[in-house]
């Protein structure tokens, strides 16, 4: 080994490509004296000062990005490379390996091992003669997809030595793990001889990425419609499972950042932040009888009841006064004041009018009051009888907590309520399936789901109220449970994170995410008012409450008639011996 030439070549590699001088540079060699001498010569040949770390400090630094390794034999290099799988070495670091004579097959095996570890910025310096040979590889090229293409050079300053940016996949395929969950992802049926495509605003995102970076999307769905699945240290399910075992290279589908996922996978940069809230059912429909009370508020009914109660008490008091007092209040010889009171209230006629001015004045005032109240009631009743109205739906999280509604959520969403055991006791877990959230949204809209609320994102609501409004409008709480940053998840060890993060940053800067999102949802959560060309005629179902009241009154009248018939032969019920009816009292 010509130490002088070799040290100059390696020093030029460091000066040209290891550009950030503040990042520590690790030198690691075997115990041979020639290796120690070579390291000393390299350090002396550097044109710029640097922070140098020797191999004795390898475990005192969190993650190495610049390193030079020197080996005497191929077996030593082969045994060391598996250590590069440790998190101590950055996947996008710059690593130079120096070794004596190796064969072509050994060079190929070395770079193939680097590729399996997803370490792509590596240079192999082979000292075969007086001038070292430099080898590096690219994982994607016109002739290969996902396998090393080895390149040879003797120029240490060439820009191709360390791949700066992986911005061209040469139309190779990357496996996208996802599932049907509009508006985030919609999987479109594959055309003949072509793979399935994706849409939705996250689908649009990865489709744009594939065009910018020149790769094809190979859509992979979780087995058994597992949707998101559960993240576990081993044997994860659903989308988490196919990312963990390497079946998919990266995954999308309304993926929020969760600590359990981060332990087994690698998240990318957040590309959108949504809000988590509850989709709530419509309030219980008013019964036909309840609609009769809707025209007036409670205070009006209370006031009317108070007036009637006061008059009833007055009649009972006047019962024990003289005829002169009663004639002054009721009119001469009026013995049915109580019945006349209700007769006027329900638009009846009086068979005998009072003669005294005071009694007439009271009667006129009561007739005017009843006319106003009846007119207001009848006018409003016409509208309320026609309306297919419901009771007020819950609007806040606090109202949900104080109601009897259940919480329909996925098991992974329990993290939002881990400090609220009252909520967890009322949780019903959703079973993963095909587009589960939108299926449950349809159940809310059509009234099939009325006993609980559904945890969804704002975008799920906006999508439903745009594209499935014919199935019913879905309301939501005014306050959100939490913000919800969404990311692309990758296998734990992959170079794709930085590659796609850079492209996603450019897309966000251009404002494309907001543009795509608005294409898939209506964010004005109020249905359009129905334009009724003319008033609708009342139908029998509108008058059901009135029929109920008539039926109840007829039943009461029949019951009283039966009692009167029976009382003919029973002195204790006979009206001739004991006056029972208030009308005869008057």
């Amino acid at each position: 080994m010509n130490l002088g030439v070799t040290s100059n070549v390696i020093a030029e590699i460091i000066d040209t490509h290891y550009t950030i001088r503040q990042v520590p540079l690790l030198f690691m060699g075997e115990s041979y004296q020639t290796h120690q001498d070579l390291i000393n010569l390299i350090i002396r040949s550097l044109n710029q000062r640097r922070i140098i770390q020797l191999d004795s400090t390898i475990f005192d630094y969190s993650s190495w990005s610049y390193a030079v390794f020197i080996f005497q034999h191929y077996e030593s290099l082969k045994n060391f490379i598996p250590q590069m799988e440790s998190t101590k070495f950055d996947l996008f670091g710059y690593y130079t390996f120096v070794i004596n004579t190796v064969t072509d097959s050994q060079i190929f095996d070395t770079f193939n091992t680097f590729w399996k570890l997803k370490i792509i910025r590596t240079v192999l310096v082979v000292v075969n003669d007086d001038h070292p040979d430099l080898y590096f590889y690219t994982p994607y090229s016109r002739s290969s997809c996902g396998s090393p293409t080895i390149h040879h050079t003797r120029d240490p300053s060439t820009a191709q030595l360390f791949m700066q940016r992986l911005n061209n996949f040469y139309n190779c395929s990357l496996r996208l793990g996802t599932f049907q969950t509009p508006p985030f992802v919609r999987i479109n049926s594959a055309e003949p001889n072509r793979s399935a495509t994706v849409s939705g605003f996250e689908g649009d995102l990865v489709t744009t990425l594939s065009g910018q970076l020149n790769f094809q999307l190979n859509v992979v769905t979780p087995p058994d419609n597992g949707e998101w699945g559960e993240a576990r240290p081993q044997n994860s399910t659903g989308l988490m499972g196919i990312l963990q075992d390497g079946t998919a290279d990266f995954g999308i589908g309304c993926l929020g950042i969760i600590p359990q996922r981060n332990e087994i996978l690698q998240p990318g940069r957040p590309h959108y932040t949504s809000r988590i809230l509850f989709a709530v059912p419509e309030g219980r429909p008013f019964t036909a009888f309840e609609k009769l009370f809707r025209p007036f508020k409670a205070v009006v009914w209370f006031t009317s009841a108070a007036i009637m109660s006061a008059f009833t008490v007055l009649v009972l008091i006047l019962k024990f006064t003289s005829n002169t007092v009663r004639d002054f209040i009721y009119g001469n010889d009026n013995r049915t004041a109580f019945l006349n009171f209700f007769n006027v209230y329900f638009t009846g006629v009086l068979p005998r009018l009072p003669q005294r001015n005071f009694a007439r004045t009271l009667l006129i005032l009561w007739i005017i009051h009843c006319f106003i109240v009846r007119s207001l009631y009848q006018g409003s009743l016409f509208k309320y009888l026609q309306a297919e109205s419901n009771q007020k739906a819950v609007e806040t999280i606090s109202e949900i907590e104080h109601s009897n509604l259940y919480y329909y959520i996925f098991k992974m969403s329990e993290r939002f309520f881990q400090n609220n055991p009252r909520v967890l006791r009322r949780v019903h877990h959703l079973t993963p399936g095909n587009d589960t959230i939108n299926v449950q949204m349809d159940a809310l809209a059509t009234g099939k789901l009325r006993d609980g609320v559904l945890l969804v994102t704002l975008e799920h609501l906006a999508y439903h109220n745009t594209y499935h409004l014919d199935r019913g409008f879905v309301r939501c709480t005014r306050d959100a449970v939490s913000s919800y940053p969404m990311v692309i998840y990758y296998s734990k060890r992959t170079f794709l994170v930085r590659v796609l993060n850079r492209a996603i940053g450019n897309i966000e800067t251009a404002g494309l995410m907001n543009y795509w999102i608005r294409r898939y949802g209506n964010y004005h959560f109020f249905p359009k008012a129905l334009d009724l060309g003319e008033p609708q005629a009342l139908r029998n179902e509108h008058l059901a409450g009135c029929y109920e009241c008539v039926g109840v009154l007829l039943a009461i009248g029949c019951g009283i008639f039966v009692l009167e018939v029976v009382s003919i032969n029973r002195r204790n019920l006979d009206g001739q011996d004991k006056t029972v009816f208030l009308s005869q009292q008057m």
Side-chain angles (χ1 to χ4, degrees):
M1 177 186 295
N2 189 327
L3 296 182
V5 174
T6 303
S7 63
N8 289 334
V9 169
I10 297 174
E12 187 173 356
I13 291 175
I14 295 172
D15 286 334
T16 305
H17 303 285
Y18 293 31
T19 56
I20 305 176
R21 290 182 294 147
Q22 292 78 9
V23 175
L25 171 60
L26 172 66
F27 278 97
M28 185 174 179
E30 294 180 292
S31 58
Y32 296 100
Q33 183 61 43
T34 54
H35 291 180
Q36 302 304 318
D37 293 340
L38 179 59
I39 292 175
N40 291 332
L41 288 174
I42 294 172
I43 294 174
R44 291 176 184 175
S45 301
L46 294 176
N47 293 328
Q48 298 175 332
R49 293 184 177 182
R50 292 179 175 273
I51 301 174
I52 303 297
Q53 300 284 337
L54 300 178
D55 57 353
S56 59
T57 62
I58 186 172
F59 296 107
D60 296 332
Y61 196 68
S62 59
S63 182
W64 296 97
S65 297
Y66 289 165
V68 176
F69 305 98
I70 304 174
F71 298 96
Q72 183 72 21
H73 304 290
Y74 171 73
E75 290 300 324
S76 301
L77 171 63
K78 181 179 179 181
N79 293 333
F80 173 77
I81 289 178
Q83 297 184 34
M84 300 290 290
E85 191 173 8
S86 168
T87 56
K88 291 289 182 181
F89 297 97
D90 188 352
L91 287 180
F92 275 77
Y94 292 70
Y95 306 112
T96 301
F97 293 83
V98 183
I99 190 172
N100 287 335
T101 304
V102 290
T103 63
D104 291 341
S105 62
Q106 290 173 336
I107 293 175
F108 177 81
D109 291 342
T110 299
F111 283 114
N112 197 45
T113 305
F114 286 146
W115 171 238
K116 290 180 180 179
L117 297 178
K118 298 299 183 287
I119 299 174
I120 57 178
R121 289 174 176 167
T122 58
V123 172
L124 186 62
V125 180
V126 180
V127 185
N128 289 320
D129 48 30
D130 289 341
H131 198 287
D133 291 298
L134 310 181
Y135 296 89
F136 62 96
Y137 83 101
T138 53
Y140 296 95
S141 64
R142 292 184 177 85
S143 59
S144 65
C145 289
S147 60
T149 299
I150 300 173
H151 307 275
H152 169 261
T153 184
R154 285 195 168 186
D155 181 8
S157 63
T158 177
Q160 298 178 348
L161 199 60
F162 290 98
M163 184 170 53
Q164 297 301 312
R165 289 186 178 181
L166 185 58
N167 54 13
N168 190 348
F169 287 82
Y170 294 95
N171 208 34
C172 297
S173 293
L174 294 181
R175 297 164 298 177
L176 170 65
T178 190
F179 53 92
Q180 185 87 355
T181 177
F184 300 93
V185 179
R186 291 190 301 193
I187 300 178
N188 307 314
S189 301
E191 298 178 3
N193 301 322
R194 298 188 64 180
S195 61
T197 59
V198 290
S199 57
F201 70 82
E202 283 191 306
D204 292 342
L205 171 63
V206 296
T207 301
T208 302
L209 291 174
S210 69
Q212 289 184 351
L213 300 175
N214 192 22
F215 63 82
Q216 296 292 324
L217 287 172
N218 182 14
V219 178
V220 181
T221 56
D224 302 324
N225 290 324
E227 296 189 308
W228 293 274
E230 186 176 350
R232 305 168 182 165
Q234 300 291 334
N235 301 320
S236 298
T237 60
L239 180 58
M240 300 298 102
I242 62 176
L243 289 173
Q244 185 183 39
D245 62 20
T247 303
D249 297 312
F250 62 105
I252 59 171
C254 188
L255 295 175
I257 302 175
I258 301 178
Q260 292 83 351
R261 292 174 179 171
N262 293 351
E263 291 177 0
I264 64 170
L265 302 174
Q266 189 173 174
R269 64 176 289 167
H271 54 262
Y272 181 69
T273 299
S274 180
R275 287 189 294 158
I276 294 290
L277 35 72
F278 286 109
V280 300
E282 292 285 355
R284 180 180 61 83
F286 285 105
T287 63
F289 187 73
E290 287 174 332
K291 285 185 179 182
L292 296 179
F293 294 91
R294 292 204 65 202
F296 288 157
K297 293 184 178 179
V299 64
V300 179
W301 289 115
F302 177 81
T303 303
S304 297
I307 292 174
M308 298 212 177
S309 300
F311 184 80
T312 302
V313 172
L314 178 62
V315 170
L316 293 175
I317 293 174
L318 291 177
K319 172 186 174 183
F320 301 100
T321 62
S322 63
N323 290 334
T324 302
V325 175
R326 289 200 297 270
D327 289 345
F328 179 76
I329 301 297
Y330 301 152
N332 297 333
D333 299 326
N334 185 355
R335 298 294 180 263
T336 58
F338 192 73
L339 291 180
N340 289 345
F341 172 79
F342 281 98
N343 196 21
V344 173
Y345 188 81
F346 291 105
T347 66
V349 297
L350 294 180
R352 186 175 183 178
L353 296 175
Q355 302 297 319
R356 302 181 67 95
N357 292 332
F358 181 72
R360 288 180 177 180
T361 302
L362 291 179
L363 176 61
I364 292 172
L365 291 175
W366 180 241
I367 290 174
I368 293 174
H369 169 79
C370 295
F371 174 76
I372 294 174
V373 171
R374 285 198 308 270
S375 298
L376 294 175
Y377 178 79
Q378 291 170 352
S380 299
L381 182 63
F382 182 81
K383 178 182 69 174
Y384 286 117
L385 287 178
Q386 290 177 306
E388 300 296 333
S389 53
N390 299 341
Q391 292 184 345
K392 182 181 178 182
V394 293
E395 293 184 339
T396 64
I397 296 175
S398 177
E399 290 179 5
I400 296 174
E401 291 182 358
H402 291 89
S403 70
N404 295 321
L405 295 171
Y406 293 104
Y407 294 84
Y408 287 88
I409 65 175
F410 288 97
K411 185 174 179 58
M412 63 182 177
S413 300
E414 287 186 350
R415 68 187 188 278
F416 295 116
F417 314 102
Q418 58 186 357
N419 296 322
N420 193 340
R422 290 188 304 172
V423 171
L424 295 177
R425 285 194 292 267
R426 289 157 55 188
V427 162
H428 284 188
H429 289 140
L430 296 173
T431 303
N434 185 20
D435 196 10
T436 303
I437 287 184
N438 283 294
V439 169
Q440 296 299 320
M441 293 272 287
D442 288 345
L444 270 177
T446 57
K448 295 179 181 178
L449 177 60
R450 286 192 175 276
D451 63 345
V453 295
L454 180 66
L455 191 69
V456 297
T457 66
L458 181 65
E459 282 61 41
H460 281 114
L461 278 164
Y463 176 79
H464 175 91
N465 289 334
T466 300
Y467 294 98
H468 299 296
L469 191 57
D470 57 324
R471 303 174 189 175
F473 182 79
V474 177
R475 303 184 184 277
C476 65
T477 51
R478 297 186 181 276
D479 46 352
V481 175
S482 173
S483 59
Y484 191 70
M486 285 179 284
V487 298
I488 296 176
Y489 265 101
Y490 307 82
S491 300
K492 192 66 176 178
R493 193 170 182 86
T494 180
F495 60 90
L496 288 175
V497 181
R498 293 189 186 180
V499 175
L500 298 190
N501 278 354
R502 183 178 64 251
I504 291 172
N506 295 333
I507 290 173
E508 287 182 322
T509 303
L512 285 174
M513 286 303 302
N514 290 331
Y515 169 73
W516 289 327
I517 290 166
R518 297 294 169 180
R519 290 172 55 192
Y520 293 98
N522 168 27
Y523 288 83
H524 301 286
F525 290 147
F526 297 97
K528 295 181 179 179
L530 295 177
D531 183 15
L532 301 178
E534 58 183 17
Q536 294 181 344
L538 287 174
R539 301 190 300 272
N540 281 329
E541 55 265 29
H542 295 151
L543 301 173
C546 299
Y547 296 154
E548 291 175 3
C549 290
V550 172
V552 171
L553 293 175
L554 286 175
I556 293 175
C558 292
I560 294 175
F561 174 75
V562 171
L563 287 176
E564 288 183 342
V565 172
V566 174
S567 69
I568 294 175
N569 299 321
R570 295 178 180 270
R571 295 181 60 84
N572 60 334
L573 293 177
D574 194 349
Q576 296 178 356
D577 296 335
K578 291 186 178 180
T579 303
V580 177
F581 300 103
L582 187 59
S583 62
Q584 294 179 351
Q585 294 273 345
M586 303 299 152

